[in-house]
Amino acid sequence: MKIADIQTFCVPPRWIFIRVETDDGFVGWGESIVPKRVNAVIGAIRDLAKLIKGEDPRKIEDIWQRLYRGGFFRGGPILMTALAGIEHSLWDIKGKYYGMPVYEFFGGEVREKVRAYAWVGGDRPANIVEHARQRVRQGFTAIKMNATEELHFIDSFSKIESVVERVASIREEFGTDLGIAVDFHGRVHRAMAKVLIKELEPYRLMWIEEPLLSEHNDALPSILRETSTPIATGERLYNRWDFKQVFESRIVDIIQPDVSFTGIYEMEKLARMAEAYDVLLAPHCPNGPISLAASLQIDMCVSNVVMQEQSLGIHYNTGYNGLEQGEMYDYLVDSTELEIKDGFLYPPKGLGLGISINEDLVRDRDHRWDLRDNIWRNKDGTLAEW
């Protein structure tokens, strides 16, 4: 069996799908991300694809090592998401070839289902309690919200108060049974992060996410020693070498790698490393159905997974930044393959990644978009993290 063809598709709302076909007719699907750099991602996928046509798709680790190490310059979001999307496709093919889901290659099921959480609000949160009510009616028992809008290095305490008020309003409405995670999104600088973390302490959060930008992970111990709130990070880290310092800091409780950066096998390796440090895994996935299906393969075979992110109803899917609307279930032949029941996701029952992609619809909606950067500025005109 040889890799015969690799194609890419850009579909609404902002998803990059990869289709790999073998010379004997097996087809696998993968998903890459970084939609604001779509031309760079597609170019990287095509560069990597040229190197593996004619190769045996079952030799996944060898292909991963070659594509990661062979070009001398390695890592980073563009190369890693291109590699990850191709790698998903190869696992999908391998599972179909051997007649089993991907998680069986990593020791088989350790759970029947995994708890899922849903987003409320967006970058400009409004009516957040009503949005939380909608999520609870949908069966979710955990939600995540962005913390702040623009926040300067040192900013008004009123912005801190507005975050606390939003969290408090949800706690008052639902009590402590509803899990709440607050995502700082790397937009809170060190001086203000110390203040905000302290003010949020009484609200018993599930976790605080990306309290600092990933390039400042070395500063986490200096601001987090006094908090009892669990700390999560990792969506902008790409492999085990990036996560080394996070583990060694002994300060992070939950890692959040994205399978569309790490690939499936690398995420499994990260999960085992995390377990040795008594650290949990909550895979990052505000992405499309293929990325979620790939994440679920690891969720099912790793015991230290605590929760799974998913994109149903997320603000990115509703015509974000001028793009067409799209939803997770649009591209599935059978939407029940990724159905959320009572706040839980279940393992897809099919072979490989376990889902069937509606290829006709993918081809029909395929077009390259022009997704612009979010540019946020502080009142003094300086660029703000978003």
Side-chain angles (χ1 to χ4, degrees), residues 19 23 66 86 215 228 251 256 266 312 322 367 380-381:
R19 181 185 184 275
D23 58 353
R66 285 178 50 200
I86 291 171
E215 51 261 44
S228 65
I251 206 74
Q256 298 175 298
E266 187 71 4
L312 186 65
H367 71 274
D380 63 1

Side-chain angles (χ1 to χ4, degrees), residues 216-277:
H216 299 312
N217 280 340
D218 61 317
L220 288 177
S222 68
I223 69 169
L224 296 174
R225 285 196 180 97
E226 303 303 321
T227 185
S228 65
T229 303
I231 299 301
T233 197
E235 68 184 69
R236 287 186 264 195
L237 303 177
Y238 313 122
N239 52 50
R240 73 201 87 154
W241 299 281
D242 290 340
F243 275 93
K244 273 199 308 183
Q245 182 186 7
V246 170
F247 292 132
E248 291 169 0
S249 75
R250 305 299 202 278
I251 206 74
V252 171
D253 305 289
I254 303 162
I255 60 166
Q256 298 175 298
D258 192 311
V259 76
S260 284
F261 280 136
T262 66
I264 293 172
Y265 196 10
E266 187 71 4
M267 183 178 280
E268 190 267 350
K269 293 170 183 174
L270 285 167
R272 309 304 183 192
M273 289 175 68
E275 188 175 19
Y277 287 88

Side-chain angles (χ1 to χ4, degrees), residues 282-333:
H284 181 257
C285 189
N287 309 325
I290 303 171
S291 185
L292 180 58
S295 299
L296 284 169
Q297 301 305 315
I298 299 305
D299 294 339
M300 289 303 115
C301 66
V302 169
S303 60
N304 56 327
V305 169
V306 64
M307 207 171 297
Q308 176 62 56
E309 183 176 25
Q310 51 77 47
S311 71
L312 186 65
I314 198 171
H315 53 291
Y316 293 130
N317 298 352
T318 56
Y320 169 70
N321 206 348
L323 294 183
E324 296 177 50
Q325 297 188 25
E327 263 299 354
M328 188 169 67
Y329 296 139
D330 291 358
Y331 302 100
L332 299 178
V333 173

Side-chain angles (χ1 to χ4, degrees), residues 48-281:
L48 297 181
K50 290 185 296 185
L51 302 175
I52 61 172
K53 283 186 178 179
E55 298 294 325
D56 185 342
R58 295 166 295 185
K59 297 174 65 175
I60 298 172
E61 176 66 3
D62 183 66
I63 288 173
W64 191 95
Q65 292 284 344
R66 285 178 50 200
L67 296 184
Y68 179 74
R69 297 164 61 189
F72 186 74
F73 294 103
R74 59 191 70 172
I78 303 302
L79 290 175
M80 291 305 294
T81 197
L83 173 50
I86 291 171
E87 191 248 23
H88 301 166
S89 307
L90 302 185
W91 280 112
D92 198 22
I93 289 170
K94 187 163 186 169
K96 292 169 181 175
Y97 180 86
Y98 288 106
M100 58 187 185
V102 170
Y103 58 76
E104 293 289 3
F105 291 96
F106 300 114
E109 289 178 294
V110 299
R111 58 168 49 85
E112 298 174 354
K113 56 188 178 181
V114 62
R115 189 181 179 195
Y117 67 87
W119 274 88
V120 298
D123 294 323
R124 296 291 190 264
N127 300 321
I128 199 162
V129 172
E130 178 53 36
H131 200 178
R133 288 192 192 107
Q134 294 172 15
R135 293 309 203 178
V136 170
R137 286 195 292 268
Q138 290 171 339
F140 289 100
T141 61
I143 59 170
K144 186 167 80 176
M145 58 179 281
N146 278 321
T148 73
E149 301 174 16
E150 297 91 341
L151 200 64
H152 219 322
F153 290 93
I154 296 289
D155 214 321
S156 167
F157 190 74
S158 65
K159 290 189 177 182
I160 300 296
E161 290 177 318
S162 68
V163 179
V164 173
E165 286 170 5
R166 288 198 296 271
V167 174
S169 67
I170 297 174
R171 269 284 170 256
E172 183 177 346
E173 178 79 11
F174 299 101
T176 55
D177 287 338
L178 181 68
I180 304 171
V182 175
D183 188 358
F184 284 22
H185 212 251
R187 66 181 60 148
V188 185
H189 293 282
R190 178 176 172 177
M192 298 302 289
K194 291 191 291 185
V195 178
L196 184 52
I197 289 167
K198 181 179 179 181
E199 294 297 319
L200 288 172
E201 183 86 12
Y203 297 97
R204 303 294 184 260
L205 301 179
M206 289 193 303
W207 66 73
I208 287 172
E209 183 169 331
E210 264 199 328
L212 296 176
L213 286 166
S214 57
E215 51 261 44
H216 299 312
N217 280 340
D218 61 317
L220 288 177
S222 68
I223 69 169
L224 296 174
R225 285 196 180 97
E226 303 303 321
T227 185
S228 65
T229 303
I231 299 301
T233 197
E235 68 184 69
R236 287 186 264 195
L237 303 177
Y238 313 122
N239 52 50
R240 73 201 87 154
W241 299 281
D242 290 340
F243 275 93
K244 273 199 308 183
Q245 182 186 7
V246 170
F247 292 132
E248 291 169 0
S249 75
R250 305 299 202 278
I251 206 74
V252 171
D253 305 289
I254 303 162
I255 60 166
Q256 298 175 298
D258 192 311
V259 76
S260 284
F261 280 136
T262 66
I264 293 172
Y265 196 10
E266 187 71 4
M267 183 178 280
E268 190 267 350
K269 293 170 183 174
L270 285 167
R272 309 304 183 192
M273 289 175 68
E275 188 175 19
Y277 287 88
D278 200 21
V279 169
L280 303 175
L281 189 77

